[in-house]
């Protein structure tokens, strides 16, 4: 019940605002320099009940909105959205434009098995809920509607895209950074489809994001359009062919005592578009040392690095290496 508290500012009545037996906040009545009366005490009790009812009403409204959002997002990604379902009118009331441009994202809770999977218990459910709250908050800070749904270990995000592609990517990067700031201990990845038009396009965008998630590895943001090479390599059903290609290219470095430094050099060269000075700076190497490594690589690979075919082979070999490593050592959850 209410408590009388006295301090330097005078006496006040403090009453907890309870929801389901737990305190959701406190209501205070300041009595000023005088003593708090029984009327103040009764007023605090009454006010706490009214405040609790108001909070409960707001929570109920938010819960209903979240369920409607989940329902129409689920219908959209399944291609079942339309007047016949009764969801279109409710979706419009929440701000969804059935004819607008949207991007679908999948915020995935990572674990030790498949990147898309069923939740394994209450702990997984709570982690997904935390990711949902973090994304909801990030969207609110960006002034974007919280069109969110849930599927297995995924939080489905529907982003309006009525602006340029560069703006979409910049917005997604800010959302990702904010989610990681809010939940740094949860291992997760964000896979994005391309910009799609209309309700029918959302289902295509979901399939693109789902494909991007499937071929990506580790944490980070992954775009469907950026993973074309990876998707093509994944389409090669015979893993033995990929391993043979990898061995025929980078396997030439295996006999070197400085094998790992040479592989690091190849990675940085590919990452910097074969700009040797930029790769050397990234490795922290003196220019003469970098030149020596490049000469050694060219000798082992039996082609100059300016050869376009060699550059393509090295890029493919590194992508195959990433795919093979991801298949053999799936991401683990932290926190």
């Amino acid at each position: 019940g209410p408590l009388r508290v006295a301090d330097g500012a005078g006496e006040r009545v403090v009453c907890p605002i309870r929801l389901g037996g737990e305190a959701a906040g406190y209501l205070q009545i300041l009595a000023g320099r005088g003593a708090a009366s029984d009327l103040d005490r009764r007023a605090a009790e009454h006010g706490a009940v009214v405040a609790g009812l108001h909070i409960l009403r707001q929570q109920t409204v938010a819960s209903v909105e979240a369920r409607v959002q989940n329902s129409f997002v689920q219908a959209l990604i399944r291609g079942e959205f339309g007047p016949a379902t009764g969801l279109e009118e409710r979706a419009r009331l929440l701000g969804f434009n059935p004819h607008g441009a949207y991007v679908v994202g999948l915020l995935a809770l990572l674990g030790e098995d498949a990147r898309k999977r069923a939740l394994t218990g209450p702990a997984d459910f709570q982690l997904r809920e935390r990711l949902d709250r973090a994304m909801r908050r990030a969207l609110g800070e960006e002034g974007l509607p919280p069109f969110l749904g849930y599927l297995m270990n995924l939080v489905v995000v529907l982003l309006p895209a009525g602006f340029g592609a560069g703006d979409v990517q910049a917005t997604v990067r800010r959302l990702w950074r904010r989610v990681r700031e809010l939940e740094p201990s949860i291992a997760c990845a964000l896979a994005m489809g391309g910009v799609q038009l209309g309700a029918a396009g959302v289902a295509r965008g979901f399939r693109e994001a789902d494909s991007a998630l499937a071929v990506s590895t580790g944490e980070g943001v992954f775009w469907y359009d950026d993973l074309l090479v990876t998707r093509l390599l994944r389409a090669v059903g015979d893993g033995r062919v990929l391993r043979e290609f990898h061995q025929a290219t980078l396997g030439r470095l295996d006999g070197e005592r400085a094998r790992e430094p040479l592989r690091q050099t190849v990675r940085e060269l590919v990452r910097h578009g074969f700009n040797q000075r930029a790769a050397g700076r990234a490795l922290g190497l003196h220019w003469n040392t970098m030149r020596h490594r490049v000469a050694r690589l060219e000798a082992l690979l039996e082609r100059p690095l300016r050869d376009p075919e060699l550059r393509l082979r090295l890029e493919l070999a590194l992508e195959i290496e990433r795919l093979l490593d991801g298949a053999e050592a799936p991401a683990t959850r932290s926190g």
Side-chain angles (χ1 to χ4, degrees), residues 90-110:
R90 283 181 282 175
R92 285 179 182 272
L93 290 174
L94 291 174
F96 176 73
N97 178 5
H99 306 293
Y102 290 91
V103 175
V104 177
L106 300 179
L107 181 59
L109 171 67
L110 300 182

Side-chain angles (χ1 to χ4, degrees), residues 28-250:
Q28 297 188 62
I29 293 181
L30 304 180
R33 294 294 179 182
S37 65
D38 288 340
L39 180 61
D40 293 330
R41 185 176 185 277
R42 289 195 296 273
E45 287 181 320
H46 179 73
V49 171
V50 172
L53 290 173
H54 180 71
I55 293 171
L56 186 61
R57 177 180 177 277
Q58 292 298 104
Q59 289 180 343
T60 302
V61 170
S63 177
V64 169
E65 286 188 353
R67 286 199 296 271
V68 172
Q69 288 163 1
N70 180 48
S71 296
F72 86 76
V73 171
Q74 288 269 4
L76 281 166
I77 63 178
R78 290 195 301 263
E80 300 172 356
F81 184 84
T85 65
L87 289 172
E88 185 171 327
E89 183 177 352
R90 283 181 282 175
R92 285 179 182 272
L93 290 174
L94 291 174
F96 176 73
N97 178 5
H99 306 293
Y102 290 91
V103 175
V104 177
L106 300 179
L107 181 59
L109 171 67
L110 300 182
E112 297 181 359
D113 45 10
R115 291 170 78 76
K116 180 180 175 183
R117 58 183 176 80
L119 298 178
T120 58
D124 264 2
F125 179 82
Q126 291 170 6
L127 289 172
R128 192 189 67 180
E129 288 290 294
R130 285 167 56 184
L131 287 180
D132 168 74
R133 288 194 296 269
M135 179 57 77
R136 194 174 295 272
R137 179 171 172 180
L139 289 168
E141 292 172 356
E142 289 286 331
L144 295 170
F147 296 150
L148 299 173
Y150 319 100
L151 177 66
M152 303 169 71
N153 64 319
L154 310 174
V155 177
V156 183
V157 187
L158 191 60
L159 295 177
F163 36 86
D167 292 333
V168 173
Q169 293 189 1
T171 299
V172 170
R173 286 195 296 269
R174 289 196 301 272
L175 291 172
W176 171 252
R177 286 196 298 268
R178 188 63 177 131
V179 168
R180 301 311 291 137
E181 288 171 1
L182 293 169
E183 293 291 356
S185 65
I186 301 179
C188 57
L190 179 59
M192 304 297 303
V195 176
Q196 299 289 347
L197 187 63
V202 173
R204 289 193 297 273
F206 170 76
R207 291 193 294 271
E208 290 180 352
D210 192 42
S211 176
L213 179 66
V215 301
S216 62
T217 57
E219 300 185 35
V221 180
F222 304 94
W223 290 85
Y224 176 81
D225 290 340
D226 293 341
L227 294 170
L228 175 60
V229 172
T230 305
R231 300 200 318 269
L232 288 173
L233 292 174
R234 277 287 183 96
V236 178
D238 191 348
R240 179 177 55 84
V241 172
L242 298 180
R243 288 183 173 85
E244 287 179 353
F245 181 92
H246 178 270
Q247 182 63 25
T249 306
L250 292 181

